Amino acid sequence: MKQTFYSNGKLLLTGEYVVLDGALALALPTKFGQNLIVEPISSEQILWKSFDQDGSVWFEDEFSFDEIIHKPFDAENSVRNTLLEILHEAFQMQPDFLFHKNGFNIQTNLTFPKNWGLGTSSTLINNIGQWLNIDAFELLNRSFGGSGYDIACAKKIHLSFIN
């Protein structure tokens, strides 16, 4: 059964690094975002394809379940390593998703150009969290770190931080 998830991008009106240092910020969800489409397949692997807003493929790869569990890194492919890290941490949080006979064909589609900085990674992390029913804030913390404002925008959650 095909499943589709969607997360909104973010617009931060203050610099990210000052937010990490405790500065107050205003961030808004955008109408632009990313979807994640997951379909089961019969082999124990994940077939991944990511599309930019213009329909062009910007990333495509295959991941065996063993690679996700043990996360061997490829020194030549930082995008692959980043996605492998996210999938590995998701597996650590929800190991059941790999312990069955089916794999997954996964497609992501951005509704904004990936170089706009509206949250390619955060929308992906939130979509994976929705798919696997895990906490996207925790997945962010385990994979990238960060303040979480971008996950809050992806989820359209209102947060107020007062230092």
Side-chain angles (χ1 to χ4, degrees):
M1 176 173 82
K2 181 164 91 169
Q3 297 176 287
T4 301
F5 306 93
Y6 186 81
S7 293
N8 296 88
K10 54 58 168 127
L11 182 60
L12 179 65
L13 301 180
T14 324
E16 168 112 25
Y17 296 109
V18 294
V19 172
L20 291 172
D21 287 336
L24 295 178
L26 176 61
L28 304 168
T30 66
K31 70 177 182 176
F32 301 108
Q34 180 172 204
N35 71 14
L36 176 84
I37 302 167
V38 180
E39 294 182 277
I41 59 174
S42 60
S43 58
E44 292 184 353
Q45 64 180 338
I46 291 180
L47 306 176
W48 195 282
K49 191 180 278 192
S50 294
F51 293 89
D52 207 338
Q53 135 292 329
D54 65 1
S56 63
V57 175
W58 68 270
F59 178 75
E60 184 173 10
D61 212 332
E62 298 176 11
F63 300 90
S64 70
F65 284 5
D66 188 63
E67 288 177 300
I68 294 167
I69 293 166
H70 297 103
K71 82 172 176 183
F73 285 103
D74 178 350
E76 311 242 336
N77 194 335
S78 65
V79 175
R80 184 180 208 284
N81 291 342
T82 299
L83 182 53
L84 188 58
E85 177 69 22
I86 294 167
L87 292 171
H88 173 76
E89 291 303 329
F91 163 74
Q92 294 291 315
M93 295 172 71
Q94 178 58 278
D96 291 345
F97 100 91
L98 294 184
F99 290 128
H100 49 74
K101 300 286 185 212
N102 294 324
F104 306 96
N105 184 29
I106 296 179
Q107 177 180 317
T108 66
N109 301 283
L110 290 168
T111 64
F112 59 89
K114 71 182 179 79
N115 63 353
W116 277 13
L118 295 182
T120 304
S121 299
S122 57
T123 54
L124 175 64
I125 287 172
N126 192 60
N127 283 336
I128 290 173
Q130 290 178 75
W131 168 42
L132 298 176
N133 198 28
I134 58 176
D135 183 350
F137 290 103
E138 180 65 21
L139 182 56
L140 172 71
N141 187 48
R142 289 173 170 236
S143 57
F144 287 146
S147 66
Y149 81 89
D150 45 0
I151 299 297
C153 285
K155 294 178 168 296
K156 290 186 169 182
I157 295 174
H158 176 265
L159 296 176
S160 296
F161 295 102
I162 300 174
N163 292 342

